[in-house]
Amino acid sequence: MNKWATLGLILLLSACKSISISTDKPLKEMPPDFEAYADTTNIANLSWREYFGDTTLVRLIEQAITDNPDLSIAQQRIEMARADVTFTKGMLLPVVDAAGFAGQARTAEFSVNWAGNEGGQFLSGDPLRPAYTDYFIGLQSSWEADVWGKLKNRKKAALSRFYASSEGKNWVVSNLVADMALTYYELLSLDENLEIIRETIALQENALEVVRAQKEAGKANKLAVEQFETQLLSLKGLEKETLQEIAVVEYRLNLLMGHYPKAIQRNSFAFEDSVALSVLPGVSSQLLVNRPDIRQAELDLMATKADVKAARAAFYPSLGITAGFGYNAFKPQFLFRSPESIAYNVFGDLTAPLFNRSAIKAEFNFNKANQVEAFYNYQKTLLEAYSEVSLEIRNIRNLQERYELKSNEVDVLTSSIETSSDLFKTGRASYLEVLITQQNTLQSRLELIDVREQLYYSKVKLYKALGGGWR
């Protein structure tokens, strides 16, 4: 082996020196259970149709899953990721192209290429001339041998991202189902508010007639009448405000369903006076299976690991093979003569980066940093998922206690309306006491609906936090 071959071999081996790709970091372990719940029974395993039960809500969610624009966009991301997988698979296979050319050229007679050709002739007897034509038709192929797994790791990365995009779509579905349920319960809550306000308006109108009659009888003054009229006007203004809020919520529901604004059908009986919630969160490890965002983050992490391995392989020599086969002749009438016009070639090339590898290093360092970012994103997703479940469990406990207390308060205040009215008619209570009692009762009843709405919200949020809603 001469000295130049030895030098080339040394340089080739220097390109293969080890490149560190260790970016693994310790992952914080989740607590084994939620708030002392160790039972593996998990409400997230229920389908959303079974979990919500309300046939009207189920029908609305089905329409949203069919027509929601965000979900359609997520589906196209899956198709893009699928195309990328097909592309990376194709890179592992040889490329074969049909090729053909026709051209004319002249070789300089004082050039090295013409030297020795003067007086020569083709196999057909035609003389060689400096100006000539050339024709070719056949196949050309190229293939990069994936010696170091660069192409294989690119395919792994693309496949992981394809599965991640599928999980991303599942997460969009889960969020869509939750948003539909939350908005639907908000609409039912506003309907309840409107009904209570109208009932209070009816009571206030009756009370106004009473105080007017008392004024005529000299038992009340003009100020009392004006106070009752003012409260009645305030209630009617609140009614109009609530109607506008209902219109806004209906608009949001239509938007989620991909529809233009229209009235939303709902089941008012679904918003019953009491809300019984079964808190069955299972164990924390089930989040890894049930939550699409966690699986998506994990698959993104796997994709970045494959990216790093592919980037490392760029430091190593690459082996390429090119080949061609076809018919080549200087005249068209000789093009398909066999075997005289048959031409073929096979070449192998081995290249390795030696100097000025900054671009390769930059890409490698970029992929390493991207992998670390994906790791932290995965860890953050786990932390957020566990925290969301724990928070909703505590929230449900507190809301259930608040609901019981508020229900008792409403019962007492509702009874006090009749008491204050009777006392007012007999002159043993002032009109201010009647007004205050009605205001307090209305406020308390609206607050009870708000607590009930929050309980429904927690029901939905816990289901989503556990990974339910996409099945």
Side-chain angles (χ1 to χ4, degrees), residues 18 63 71 109 115 136 182 184 233 266 336 347 352 364 396:
S18 176
Q63 293 177 20
L71 201 53
E109 295 181 59
F136 174 82
L182 291 172
Y184 179 76
L233 291 172
R266 56 264 204 185
F336 295 105
F347 298 99
F364 176 72
I396 287 174

Side-chain angles (χ1 to χ4, degrees), residues 109-159:
E109 295 181 59
F110 284 144
S111 69
V112 173
N113 292 334
W114 181 252
N117 289 327
E118 184 70 33
Q121 62 181 19
F122 289 99
L123 184 63
S124 62
D126 293 288
L128 288 173
R129 293 187 176 88
Y132 63 92
T133 56
D134 198 17
Y135 301 92
F136 174 82
I137 186 168
L139 301 175
Q140 292 181 344
S141 176
S142 61
W143 177 57
E144 180 181 351
D146 193 26
V147 179
W148 312 108
K150 177 177 67 176
L151 301 179
K152 183 179 179 182
N153 280 301
R154 286 181 180 174
K155 188 187 83 168
K156 285 183 178 179
L159 196 59

Side-chain angles (χ1 to χ4, degrees), residues 10 22 65 135 157 208 227 308 443:
I10 292 173
S22 177
I65 291 176
Y135 301 92
L208 179 59
Q227 290 291 329
V308 171
Q443 185 64 31

Side-chain angles (χ1 to χ4, degrees), residues 256-303:
L256 287 171
M257 292 188 292
H259 296 168
Y260 288 103
K262 62 179 181 180
I264 297 293
Q265 182 183 1
R266 56 264 204 185
N267 178 15
S268 58
F269 297 104
F271 206 69
E272 64 268 11
D273 291 336
S274 61
V275 184
L277 297 181
S278 298
V279 181
L280 300 173
V283 294
S284 62
S285 59
Q286 291 175 330
L287 289 176
L288 303 177
V289 178
N290 288 332
R291 289 218 14 169
D293 60 329
I294 292 179
R295 295 200 304 275
Q296 182 182 17
E298 182 181 11
L299 288 163
D300 284 336
L301 178 59
M302 292 171 60

Side-chain angles (χ1 to χ4, degrees), residues 206-260:
N206 292 333
L208 179 59
E209 292 300 321
V210 171
V211 76
R212 280 174 177 169
Q214 288 187 340
K215 178 178 177 295
E216 293 296 329
K219 296 181 179 180
N221 55 35
K222 183 180 179 181
L223 180 60
V225 175
E226 290 174 346
Q227 290 291 329
F228 275 87
E229 287 178 341
T230 300
Q231 187 175 26
L232 180 59
L233 291 172
S234 176
L235 287 169
K236 289 183 177 180
L238 185 59
E239 177 188 18
K240 298 303 179 183
E241 181 181 342
T242 305
L243 286 170
Q244 178 59 27
E245 290 177 358
I246 289 173
V248 171
V249 175
E250 286 184 322
Y251 159 78
R252 284 163 42 202
L253 271 172
N254 279 303
L255 193 62
L256 287 171
M257 292 188 292
H259 296 168
Y260 288 103

